[in-house]
Amino acid sequence: MTRVSPWLVALALLVAAVGCADDDAAEAAPPEVTGAETPEPAAPDVAAVYATIGDPGPDGDTLVGASTDVAERVELHESVIDDDGSARMVELEDGIDVAAGEGVVLERGGLHVMLMGLETELAEGDRYELTLEFERGGEVTVDVDVVPTVGGDDGGGGHDGQDEAHGDDDG
Amino acid sequence: MTMTARPLALALAGLGLLLLAGCETGGADALEAGQDGILGVPLEEPVAKPDVVLTDHHGEPFDLRAETDGELTLAFFGYASCPDICPVHMANLTSVFDRLPSTVTDRINVLFVTTDPARDTPEALEGFMGSFDSDFVGLTGDLDEIVDLMTELNLPRPVFEEPDDDGFYEVGHPAQVLAFLPDDDHAHYAYPWGTRQSDFTHDLRALVDGAAAARP
């Protein structure tokens, strides 16, 4: 039986290692996450995170979880309004679909990341890290800005916002 | 043939509109003014302001009829541990109050009635209300009393979820804001989730002196 050259073994290992690296590179990157914000919580124990998740590429992706040091638990939620006008939150145990070519917007009165059991008081101007976990793209950590409770958004979904703010206070 | 084609085309067009409307998410469509020029959604049957005494967020008794008699009064039912819809509604109304002159806001009551009195003690409500306009009033009371109040107002009852391992639970609550008018102290309009600040501003300004005064 021929003796295997140690050099050949080394070469084989190297090829295998490079092969692994190539596999990693072939995995999808996490989609870009922008505008992550938490309105300063009015309640001491819970807070919501809103953000825009960009196009995950042609295969799409799913946001399957999130974690942060500022809260004991983090869940993915959607606010829904039933036919009788009752608003409630639904925990999305299967995650949030991030559509191929589109992405998804987490916004007031809709999809959001919910922080439960806040361990740090969040005040306007603060910034904290939130790690989002995607099924394909893996983890990405983003900075979340704590914004004023009041102001900014309008109506939850509607965005006629600031253009109406100019002085129509004619009494 | 042409006799039937047209209704069919109309029906299909209607279906298409319905499907398009179904695609709207994240809040109500823009409100449209009725004949009275008001953007709020008129209630089929105006409802009298219930005769109830609750407790405000300072721990003082609050006689609903006596405290708000003859004044434009907005009421929203929610709870303090609600991270999304409740604080956004209250924040929107705070922004609306910032836009209006005090000569108007001094004559409007905004009430946040808890659907979760077990957690929302006056102290808890005081913390929550501290994030919003200082004239807004947080109200709590016995759960039975609050459920009766909501039933009287034709609102859906609060729906309590099973508490999780940490004892945390969520509560389903009505999404709309009710407006009681100065004319007769009855609720006449509802403002669904998604009502824009500019629409609230318009209606509060129009209704502060009553619906009779608001008629074009």
Side-chain angles (χ1 to χ4, degrees), chain B residues 91-139:
Chain B
N92 276 333
L93 288 173
T94 299
S95 296
V96 168
F97 261 46
D98 289 344
R99 290 179 184 200
L100 289 166
S102 59
T103 49
V104 172
T105 57
D106 285 351
R107 293 182 288 141
I108 302 174
N109 304 291
V110 175
L111 311 177
F112 178 87
V113 186
T114 183
T115 53
D116 182 24
R119 279 185 296 189
D120 288 348
T121 60
E123 296 75 34
L125 280 180
E126 189 172 17
F128 181 79
M129 298 310 292
S131 296
F132 308 106
D133 190 282
S134 57
D135 287 335
F136 293 179
V137 180
L139 294 171

Side-chain angles (χ1 to χ4, degrees), chain A residues 43 50 73 79 87 154-156 160 169, chain B residues 26 80 84 99 164 173 194 197-198:
Chain A
Y50 309 107
R73 280 182 308 129
S79 293
D154 188 359
D160 73 343
D169 284 352
Chain B
D84 190 33
R99 290 179 184 200
D164 65 19
H173 61 93
Q197 292 171 14
S198 50

Side-chain angles (χ1 to χ4, degrees), chain A residues 132-157:
Chain A
L132 298 174
E133 189 194 337
F134 293 92
E135 194 170 65
R136 289 169 173 273
E139 291 187 349
V140 60
T141 297
V142 297
D143 286 330
V144 184
D145 288 317
V146 182
V147 298
T149 319
V150 174
D153 200 79
D154 188 359

Side-chain angles (χ1 to χ4, degrees), chain A residues 23-65:
Chain A
D23 280 350
D24 281 344
E27 286 278 313
E32 189 182 14
V33 179
T34 54
E37 65 177 31
T38 286
E40 183 178 300
D45 46 355
V46 293
V49 186
Y50 309 107
T52 299
I53 300 174
D55 178 7
D59 295 325
D61 208 336
T62 305
L63 175 64
V64 289

Side-chain angles (χ1 to χ4, degrees), chain A residues 40-43 45-48 50 72-73 75 77 79-81 84-90 107-110 112 114 116 149-162 164-165 168-171, chain B residues 25-28 79-85 87-88 90-92 94-95 98-101 119 127-128 131-132 156-157 159 161 164 166 168 170-176 193-199 201 205:
Chain A
E40 183 178 300
D45 46 355
V46 293
Y50 309 107
E72 278 175 39
R73 280 182 308 129
E75 292 179 359
H77 279 204
S79 293
V80 295
I81 297 174
D84 68 354
S86 195
R88 61 192 171 86
M89 283 190 294
V90 179
E107 62 184 346
R108 288 160 178 76
H112 56 275
M114 177 157 161
M116 304 159 88
T149 319
V150 174
D153 200 79
D154 188 359
H159 290 280
D160 73 343
Q162 304 312 314
E164 295 283 348
D168 58 349
D169 284 352
D170 50 10
Chain B
T25 55
Y79 62 112
S81 308
C82 152
D84 190 33
I85 283 184
V88 175
M90 299 311 283
N92 276 333
T94 299
S95 296
D98 289 344
R99 290 179 184 200
L100 289 166
R119 279 185 296 189
F128 181 79
S131 296
F132 308 106
R157 304 165 54 96
V159 180
E161 274 193 353
D164 65 19
D166 299 327
F168 185 84
E170 281 150 16
V171 186
H173 61 93
Q176 70 269 45
W193 167 253
T195 298
R196 295 176 171 187
Q197 292 171 14
S198 50
D199 291 351
T201 306
R205 196 191 285 277

